[in-house]
């Protein structure tokens, strides 16, 4: 099985790299559709689910629950349903070779030894990319957009820490960390694909 | 100018990647010889110099000097001479395309926009590599060797924090972070070389 998971800072181009890799490998690419499927299975709305993944939301009760409880012991029922569905959905997708962006796939599939990429960039590049790709954000000032980028990335880190006890974006959790600041991903993605092919050959 | 700098955990194969990249590019490769040249220019012995780079040594006086002093204000004279020679030597080397391993080259050459790699691995892989490559360490038990690996990597981190105010091994300081755990570097190095070539083309 050749599963590639992509952790990514919001605005860093992880989505583009994921798509290009899936294209290079001729495999499926999963991103937002994962959330839609989790919503269907858990009967929780997508906004709440994205809140968990991008804001570490859904476990606020923990902070008032004392230090002796593990983070998953006092989760609200909808959050529990989301986490269960998330695991089911991602494990099902990973029955075939694929590229999965975000949604904790690297953690959930850890035992299957996926190739785990983390994609990041400096703030100027993330701002630029968001500006170019997200017309719905056009009404935000630069300051507001930067605040949004920081908030989501902080939320993703929080989600990993709370739900997996892992440090999101720390090199040890990944096989390759790619800085996309000012980079031409169309040119670089084929090299990453080649790297991954050879990495799997050696396993 | 195409300068490649390689930060690396001790035992992770940064040296091997560096050599293979220099070979692929047909450029010079600098590693231990940097220390010899710094020793010559600073008239400080190599052991002391390696102590600075690998143990954050040479600035112990700071911890007793109060919080208002910057780390470089109260350095012993030999350490100052080493840092000055280090800068001179590395800037001189970087007048031509080359691959430089360690010794703060990524920090010293920052303004010249080198391609900055960080090479790391899990402890099992680092142990295995050290065992295979360093006959002089054959007398160490596994526990002793692991202690040595951890100590040097902790020292390198300390050196970066103290002398550059930067976090050694943190993704933001690098363009690519490569996990070599269980990896076949002979197979992977050409992909990294290709990635770097294209990265420079895009700049």
């Amino acid at each position: 099985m050749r599963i590639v998971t992509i952790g990514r800072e919001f605005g860093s181009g992880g989505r583009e790299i994921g798509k290009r890799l899936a294209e290079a490998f001729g495999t499926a690419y999963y991103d937002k559709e994962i959330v839609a499927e989790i919503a269907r299975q858990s009967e929780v709305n997508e906004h709440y689910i994205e809140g968990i993944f991008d804001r570490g939301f859904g476990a606020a009760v923990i902070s008032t629950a004392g230090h002796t409880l593990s983070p998953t012991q006092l989760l609200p029922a909808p959050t529990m349903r989301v986490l269960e569905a998330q695991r089911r959905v991602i494990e099902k997708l990973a029955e075939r070779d694929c590229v999965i962006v975000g949604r904790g796939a690297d953690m959930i599939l850890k035992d299957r030894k996926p190739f785990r990429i983390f994609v990041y960039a400096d703030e100027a590049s993330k701002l630029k990319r968001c500006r170019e790709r997200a017309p719905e954000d056009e009404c935000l000032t630069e300051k507001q957009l930067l605040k949004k980028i920081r908030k989501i990335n902080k939320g993703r880190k929080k989600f990993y820490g709370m739900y997996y006890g892992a440090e999101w974006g720390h090199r040890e959790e990944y096989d390759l960390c790619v800085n996309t600041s000012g980079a031409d991903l169309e040119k670089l993605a084929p090299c990453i694909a080649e790297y991954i092919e050879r990495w799997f050959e050696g396993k």
Side-chain angles (χ1 to χ4, degrees), chain A:
Chain A
M1 291 296 290
R2 297 191 174 192
I3 309 294
V4 176
T5 62
I6 303 189
R8 75 294 183 222
E9 286 183 347
F10 181 73
S12 69
R15 193 179 161 75
E16 183 182 342
I17 289 185
K19 278 187 183 171
R20 291 187 182 279
L21 291 180
E23 224 175 83
F25 300 143
T27 59
Y29 164 84
Y30 300 110
D31 187 347
K32 293 186 191 219
E33 51 274 62
I34 299 173
V35 178
E37 183 56 22
I38 295 172
R40 204 186 57 78
Q41 292 196 19
S42 64
E43 298 182 334
V44 170
N45 74 58
E46 294 189 24
H47 183 71
Y48 184 97
I49 298 170
E50 290 286 18
I52 295 176
F53 296 156
D54 286 346
R55 296 198 294 280
F57 180 74
V61 67
I62 294 165
S63 60
T64 62
H67 296 295
T68 55
L69 292 162
S70 85
T72 49
Q73 277 176 300
L74 271 186
L75 294 174
T79 303
M80 281 304 295
R81 290 208 308 277
V82 167
L83 296 182
E84 283 159 14
Q86 174 204 13
R87 178 168 295 276
R88 260 195 322 269
V89 168
I90 285 175
E91 286 185 341
K92 182 78 189 164
L93 296 178
E95 286 177 3
R96 290 169 44 211
D97 290 355
C98 63
V99 175
I100 307 182
V101 174
R103 285 82 192 186
D106 41 9
M107 290 292 146
I108 288 172
L109 301 173
K110 206 166 191 175
D111 293 344
R112 303 202 196 182
K113 306 271 177 227
F115 186 88
R116 302 157 301 166
I117 309 181
F118 189 81
V119 181
Y120 62 104
D122 60 28
E123 287 198 325
S125 300
K126 284 184 284 199
L127 263 175
K128 188 166 174 278
R129 174 169 286 270
C130 286
R131 200 50 98 198
E132 287 167 2
R133 317 256 157 162
E136 73 270 23
D137 283 336
E138 271 171 2
C139 55
L140 298 182
T141 64
E142 181 139 318
K143 207 173 154 185
Q144 287 171 324
L145 186 53
L146 191 58
K147 201 174 156 189
K148 178 186 170 183
I149 292 169
R150 285 181 183 163
K151 192 176 168 191
I152 292 181
N153 288 325
K154 214 171 143 187
R156 288 180 180 171
K157 189 168 182 166
K158 190 174 160 200
F159 168 64
Y160 265 65
M162 284 172 77
Y163 290 100
Y164 306 122
E167 192 182 342
W168 179 80
H170 189 279
R171 63 178 191 270
E172 285 176 9
E173 306 290 349
Y174 307 93
D175 300 298
L176 194 69
C177 304
V178 178
N179 187 341
T180 58
S181 306
D184 180 345
L185 301 189
E186 191 178 352
K187 273 185 138 182
L188 295 179
C191 304
I192 302 173
E194 180 70 17
Y195 185 96
I196 295 170
E197 293 267 15
R198 295 197 187 191
W199 186 90
F200 275 118
E201 278 166 27
K203 296 287 150 182

